[in-house]
Amino acid sequence: MEQHLYEPVHEEFRELCREFLAREAVPRHERWEAEGIVDRDVWRAAGAAGLLGMDVPEEYGGGGQRDFRFNAVLVEEIVGHGCSGLGFGLHNDVVAPYLTELTTDEQRKRWLPRFCSGELVTAIAMSEPGAGSDLAGVRTTAVRDGDGYVLNGQKTFITNGELADLVVVVAKTAPERGAHGVSLIAVERGTPGFARGRRLAKVGLKANDTAELFFDDCRVPAENLVGTENHGFYHLMANLPRERLGIAVAAVAAAERLLALTLDHARSREAFGRPIGAFQHNRFLLAELDTEITIARTFLNHCVAEFNAGRLSAVDAAKAKWWTTELQNRVADRCVQLHGGYGYMLEYPVARAWLDGRVQTIYGGTTEIMKEIIGRDLGL
């Protein structure tokens, strides 16, 4: 089916992304997976290529393109090239709006030029050992003391956690108010009392650094407050649809890649004297996957267009997130099965994609949380 989301300028940007990934990431990704982290210089190279901060105003060194299609193209190509270690999506799709929409002039001048150049890697710290999607359960506190805040607490599962130079931390500034007493505090590398724990060993996404963060009487200047004090819950809710849309983009791109890899295998691998794709069961299964992926792509493209128009609701973002990520995992499982023993070998990209994709239904809000959002909107 012909899709009409992208224009020629986006396809030109796609070629730029492909050239960058082929040159800077693909040759090193196997080593990065073994080491559990990417080389720092790939971030600076991405900044120089214009792949960071595409929608950040030009005055701060960004692309000045308030068009999520550029973000989507970059994520699609990262997924398509199997470069799951690159945390550019979180940087561009999740953290960027906090730094462009909620910051002061002084903060934007201090952080955004380096954000766009790749000198400043970012992360957001929400999850804790005892709190995930439930912000009321956050235990990290930020107590106002004179001209600053004193942070105490622990965060876990933080993407870009080891490389990050700036972490937007979700903390309680008014604990008695529960989720409505949450604020966003930017903590910079080298701040006394801010430490990183072990590099977490994950099932997949092995090249992407995921870390624990610790705050022990960590004093942060009051001017590092992002947005309005005690309004962190509202800031997070406003930006979560964009994060979930980005996850859906990755999910559909992964499903498309898995199907393409499996179709090649089904045409070339033979059993009982004929290609395995010629067996009716396999042919029907691939036909089903192709249909479901086409439907997912169509809805996703609609959501991207709605987001660009300022109309994407939290409910529709939740629908896109849970449906596409569950589809991604279903496609991965079927494609591994169709590869037979080879599908279980890590030298085959289908096996690595199977492992990398499992977290998609968990982070950014679990499938169950997405269904809660949709169900409540139905008045249930």
Side-chain angles (χ1 to χ4, degrees):
M1 179 179 291
E2 181 70 24
Q3 300 288 345
H4 303 286
L5 179 66
Y6 297 118
E7 300 173 14
V9 66
H10 302 107
E11 297 305 333
E12 291 173 11
F13 182 68
R14 189 183 301 279
E15 286 304 313
L16 172 64
C17 295
R18 288 175 175 171
E19 291 171 8
F20 172 86
L21 293 167
R23 181 180 68 250
E24 301 287 348
V26 173
R28 296 188 279 177
H29 205 272
E30 186 175 349
R31 173 172 61 81
W32 291 344
E33 289 193 330
E35 296 174 353
I37 194 168
V38 304
D39 294 331
R40 180 62 184 242
D41 71 342
V42 75
W43 282 86
R44 293 188 290 271
L51 304 186
L52 303 178
M54 288 87 72
D55 57 355
V56 172
E58 291 182 68
E59 63 185 292
Y60 301 112
Q65 299 289 335
R66 296 187 68 84
D67 181 348
F68 193 78
R69 289 176 292 181
F70 289 102
N71 299 56
V73 165
L74 177 57
V75 169
E76 288 173 355
E77 291 307 315
I78 287 174
V79 171
H81 284 76
C83 296
S84 59
L86 298 175
F88 300 164
L90 183 131
H91 187 79
N92 285 327
D93 303 342
V94 181
V95 180
Y98 293 101
L99 300 187
T100 56
E101 304 299 328
L102 300 175
T103 45
T104 64
D105 288 341
E106 186 276 330
Q107 289 173 330
R108 287 192 286 273
K109 291 175 183 176
R110 181 155 44 115
W111 294 326
L112 286 178
R114 291 182 296 142
F115 177 97
C116 297
S117 70
E119 298 171 75
L120 187 83
V121 177
T122 63
I124 187 164
M126 297 175 61
S127 296
E128 298 182 0
S133 301
D134 181 14
L135 289 178
V138 169
R139 294 186 178 182
T140 298
T141 58
V143 177
R144 186 62 186 261
D145 182 44
D147 60 354
Y149 293 93
V150 178
L151 272 67
N152 281 284
Q154 178 183 351
K155 298 292 183 179
T156 193
F157 310 140
I158 308 306
T159 302
N160 295 345
E162 192 169 343
L163 284 175
D165 305 290
L166 183 76
V167 182
V168 178
V169 179
V170 178
K172 290 278 186 67
T173 42
E176 71 282 0
R177 297 178 59 184
H180 301 286
V182 168
S183 298
L184 307 180
I185 311 289
V187 181
E188 296 170 276
R189 178 183 290 277
T191 302
F194 172 33
R196 299 160 212 261
R198 61 195 173 99
R199 185 181 300 168
L200 299 175
K202 308 185 296 296
V203 169
L205 302 178
K206 292 184 179 295
N208 183 261
D209 59 304
T210 305
E212 299 171 312
L213 306 180
F214 298 93
F215 307 94
D216 184 12
D217 289 335
C218 176
R219 177 173 285 276
V220 179
E223 55 265 28
N224 277 26
L225 174 70
V226 176
T228 304
E229 187 176 85
N230 295 329
H231 279 67
F233 174 80
Y234 304 102
H235 298 326
L236 291 163
M237 292 304 104
N239 284 314
L240 278 172
R242 172 172 166 144
E243 177 180 356
R244 289 165 181 163
L245 180 61
I247 293 171
V249 169
V252 174
E256 291 171 338
R257 176 177 182 244
L258 282 159
L259 179 62
L261 291 169
T262 306
L263 285 172
D264 286 343
H265 183 77
R267 294 178 183 121
S268 60
R269 176 71 171 173
E270 291 193 355
F272 304 104
R274 55 176 171 159
I276 63 170
F279 290 90
Q280 186 185 66
H281 172 80
N282 294 342
R283 190 166 64 247
F284 279 15
L285 175 59
L286 289 165
E288 291 169 7
L289 295 182
D290 181 62
T291 302
E292 290 183 85
I293 292 169
T294 300
I295 292 168
R297 165 60 68 183
T298 303
F299 181 59
L300 171 68
N301 287 359
H302 170 72
C303 288
V304 171
E306 287 294 283
F307 179 83
N308 268 358
R311 294 191 299 260
L312 182 67
S313 69
V315 173
D316 282 343
K319 291 177 181 178
K321 199 274 181 185
W322 89 258
W323 175 259
T324 60
T325 56
E326 291 288 348
L327 174 64
Q328 175 186 353
N329 277 308
R330 190 164 64 253
V331 171
D333 183 74
R334 303 297 187 273
C335 290
V336 165
Q337 184 71 22
L338 285 168
H339 274 76
Y342 294 105
Y344 203 63
M345 299 295 108
L346 284 176
E347 63 186 275
Y348 276 70
V350 68
R352 297 195 297 275
W354 178 49
L355 294 172
D356 289 343
R358 186 59 188 86
V359 74
Q360 286 272 82
T361 61
I362 298 171
Y363 61 17
T366 63
T367 292
E368 293 73 20
I369 293 294
M370 298 302 98
K371 291 180 180 179
E372 276 292 321
I373 292 170
I374 299 162
R376 290 175 185 178
D377 185 65
L378 296 174
L380 302 174

